[in-house]
Amino acid sequence: QVQLVESGGGLVQPGGSLRLSCEASIFISGQYNVGWFRQAPGKEREGISFIPKGGSRIIYADFVEGRFTMSRDGAKNTVYLQLNNLTPKDTAVYYCAAGRAIMHTARLDANNYTVWGRGPDVTVSS
């Protein structure tokens, strides 16, 4: 079973940036689809972005509005999420997740992912 370990969270001022990393314990690029999610206090977990296994076409949730960028380094078994122009509304626990079979219409649906990291906190505050 693959394991995911995230890093890179922390406290940042509004307008600032962070880069989150998600390292997999095995080579996953050709086996698992990977998504980034977040969960703010008192809210449901929401999908941020998705990259398909063996592919490179990344999709984003509408609320991203060009501020976040997902990328993958296959040689390092690591997926990244660059967070720019952060606002207090972005405060949440951020998770990466992996799944072998993700329906095309449910790529940002957390219910379709079977492996989860523990999630670093991202706090945006002045």
Side-chain angles (χ1 to χ4, degrees):
Q1 176 79 328
V2 62
Q3 293 180 328
L4 304 174
V5 178
E6 300 109 326
S7 60
L11 173 64
V12 63
Q13 293 186 342
S17 298
L18 284 174
R19 189 175 80 156
L20 307 181
S21 300
C22 172
E23 183 175 2
S25 58
I26 63 171
F27 177 72
I28 65 169
S29 294
Q31 303 180 58
Y32 287 86
N33 306 282
V34 178
W36 281 100
F37 296 81
R38 70 182 185 182
Q39 188 165 17
K43 295 189 176 182
E44 293 187 356
R45 192 167 299 189
E46 63 179 348
I48 301 171
S49 60
F50 165 90
I51 187 168
K53 57 184 178 181
S56 59
R57 186 169 182 269
I58 299 168
I59 67 163
Y60 297 93
D62 290 342
F63 71 81
V64 170
E65 298 179 326
R67 299 182 300 128
F68 302 168
T69 303
M70 183 178 188
S71 60
R72 176 170 60 198
D73 185 335
K76 295 182 179 179
N77 295 334
T78 301
V79 175
Y80 303 96
L81 185 67
Q82 177 69 38
L83 309 173
N84 294 327
N85 196 20
L86 288 162
T87 75
K89 290 183 178 180
D90 296 314
T91 295
V93 179
Y94 283 69
Y95 301 90
C96 65
R100 288 186 179 271
I102 305 293
M103 293 179 60
H104 182 76
T105 56
R107 291 170 291 180
L108 297 180
D109 185 345
N111 293 317
N112 290 284
Y113 291 77
T114 56
V115 182
W116 290 84
R118 297 183 65 178
D121 288 331
V122 172
T123 301
V124 185
S125 175
S126 56

